[in-house]
Amino acid sequence: MNSGQIIRRIGKSDVSASAVGLGTWAIGGWMWGGTDEQASIGAIHASIDAGVSLIDTAPAYGLGRSEEIVGKAIKGRRDKVMIATKCGLNWQTGKGNYFFDQDGLPVHRYLGADGITHEVEQSLRRLGTDHIDLYITHWQDPTTPIAETMEALASLKKAGKIRAIGASNISVAELESYVAAGQIDAIQERYSMLDREIEQTLLPVTTANDVATLSYSSLALGLLSGAIDPARQFTGDDQRKDNPRFSEANRHKVAAFKAAIAPVIDQHGATMAQIAIAWTLTQPGITFGLCGARNAEQALDNAKAGRIVLDADDLALIDAAITRHLVAMDA
Ligand SMILES: NC(=O)c1ccc[n+]([C@@H]2O[C@H](COP(=O)([O-])OP(=O)(O)OC[C@H]3O[C@@H](n4cnc5c(N)ncnc54)[C@H](OP(=O)(O)O)[C@@H]3O)[C@@H](O)[C@H]2O)c1
């Protein structure tokens, strides 16, 4: 069945997937005020049923919890999805560069060959699969040369354990080192209507080298969903609780933006989240848009964005509204 989703290739690899991808950070619970396993599995199933074939996860999302939930959800459906997961945030050996604590455990950035070889087996086990379609270095490790990391990743690829290589949270210099060291197929970076720095830095380099870009936090942690009104409270370890980006003033600016793009929302019978995602996917150099979802309703909402085609008039109206209401946001 044709799901109507836009399908794109991951760099020079032989892996293709839907341009809208499901992100599963919140599904791991950590920094999102906890998780509900059944609702999370519902989100993954709804995404797959709507033709979303890219699922992004990481060991760090709840110290294995997100990967385990993805593993449960894709049982019997492995052939319908491309799995992206990550390496380099290690809470087991203490090697590398200290980064943060999670659940009382120190997590280090470590991309040495021994760490990667160990981590990939843990991820394959948690995901219940024999291969990872896109394997991404999560954060960069100042203690290991990128050439060593790339050599380890290339041997995993040769062994058939991974199919494509990516890097996340990188500088232009680091991206150039990856390109020089072998075949890098993707980067994963923060990008949305509110976070556009990479347009000037990384995207010219990815475009010149046929490297795909997966945007993360494409809905600005939910702020661009249009569903966060001034009354919404964040609880527990939800990172948005003390984030100045979620100030009441900013919520009002987003509401004004939503009102300004109402003609586009109405014309497409869409939600604001869908327009934010569809806009992201039209931006030059952005190949995939990762969107988190905590339940089937959000997942389906986001999946439908992959079928919306914004024309030049829509984009002109949206861009004017971004300049008017979002560019001057305080954080
Ligand atoms: N490489 C990295 O370092 C890195 C960093 C960040 C993210 N990522 C990846 O990128 C993915 C996406 O980013 P993200 O999850 O950080 O943020 P996001 O996609 O900008 O926002 C996700 C949150 O927005 C809310 N939401 C989503 N869809 C909605 C809808 N249709 N209607 C209303 N609310 C909706 C949900 O939270 P509530 O319901 O609680 O409001 C959801 O958890 C992650 O899951 C992860 O896979 C990678």
Side-chain angles (χ1 to χ4, degrees):
M1 193 189 82
N2 182 356
S3 67
Q5 294 288 335
I6 307 162
I7 305 296
R8 292 180 176 166
R9 198 148 72 101
I10 303 182
K12 297 190 186 100
S13 76
D14 61 1
V15 183
S16 295
S18 59
V20 175
L22 173 67
T24 64
W25 182 13
I27 279 174
W30 166 67
M31 290 182 74
W32 287 89
T35 185
D36 175 322
E37 182 165 319
Q38 274 323 106
S40 300
I41 290 175
I44 297 167
H45 287 171
S47 298
I48 297 173
D49 291 346
V52 167
S53 58
L54 176 63
I55 300 181
D56 181 78
T57 181
Y61 300 161
L63 303 181
R65 185 104 183 90
S66 172
E67 284 190 334
E68 279 165 6
I69 293 176
V70 171
K72 280 186 194 173
I74 63 170
K75 222 172 183 170
R77 305 170 193 233
R78 178 67 183 92
D79 59 331
K80 296 193 166 47
V81 287
M82 298 298 147
I83 300 291
T85 193
K86 312 191 185 84
C87 58
L89 289 185
N90 141 51
W91 63 91
Q92 278 131 349
T93 66
K95 281 188 180 173
N97 172 268
Y98 173 75
F99 199 23
F100 55 80
D101 272 17
Q102 185 175 163
D103 290 349
L105 291 171
V107 178
H108 289 70
R109 291 183 285 189
Y110 184 59
L111 288 167
D114 58 332
I116 291 177
T117 314
H118 173 77
E119 277 198 64
V120 77
E121 298 302 332
Q122 306 301 310
S123 289
L124 290 170
R125 181 181 52 75
R126 287 190 288 253
L127 290 162
T129 185
D130 62 359
H131 70 276
I132 289 158
D133 299 287
L134 173 61
Y135 202 42
I136 302 164
T137 58
H138 200 159
W139 285 84
Q140 303 308 306
D141 162 20
T143 71
T144 306
I146 284 171
E148 176 185 330
T149 300
M150 276 300 267
E151 204 181 312
L153 293 170
S155 38
L156 292 183
K157 197 168 158 186
K158 208 164 161 207
K161 296 191 184 210
I162 67 172
R163 294 178 62 198
I165 296 169
S168 184
N169 300 303
I170 52 173
S171 65
V172 169
E174 285 162 343
L175 175 55
E176 283 166 348
S177 297
Y178 273 100
V179 169
Q183 184 179 319
I184 175 166
D185 287 308
I187 63 165
Q188 188 178 123
E189 298 293 325
R190 187 166 83 144
Y191 183 85
S192 73
M193 288 174 169
L194 293 179
D195 295 293
R196 302 177 63 174
E197 296 79 6
I198 63 168
E199 289 175 2
Q200 313 303 325
T201 56
L202 291 164
L203 294 186
V205 187
T206 53
T207 306
N209 290 284
D210 200 3
V211 174
T213 297
L214 286 69
S215 68
Y216 75 60
S217 302
S218 312
L219 292 171
L221 304 174
L223 188 57
L224 291 174
S225 69
I228 295 181
D229 62 23
R232 172 87 184 263
Q233 304 269 348
F234 299 109
T235 55
D237 75 343
D238 195 317
Q239 64 195 288
R240 297 170 292 185
K241 201 162 55 176
D242 305 312
N243 184 340
R245 168 97 18 121
F246 287 80
S247 69
E248 200 174 324
N250 283 353
R251 295 184 200 196
H252 284 298
K253 285 179 189 166
V254 171
F257 170 73
K258 185 178 178 181
I261 64 163
V264 180
I265 292 177
D266 293 347
Q267 193 196 323
H268 291 276
T271 62
M272 178 168 153
Q274 288 168 349
I275 298 300
I277 298 164
W279 175 91
T280 302
L281 294 176
T282 65
Q283 299 310 299
I286 301 295
T287 327
F288 300 92
L290 296 178
C291 310
R294 292 154 91 78
N295 53 48
E297 195 190 337
Q298 290 180 351
L300 189 58
D301 193 21
N302 298 347
K304 284 183 184 162
R307 300 189 206 121
I308 293 175
V309 180
L310 298 173
D311 67 20
D313 290 341
D314 294 334
L315 290 168
L317 190 146
I318 295 167
D319 287 335
I322 291 173
T323 306
R324 174 127 195 249
H325 300 286
L326 302 184
V327 167
M329 205 164 252
D330 310 327

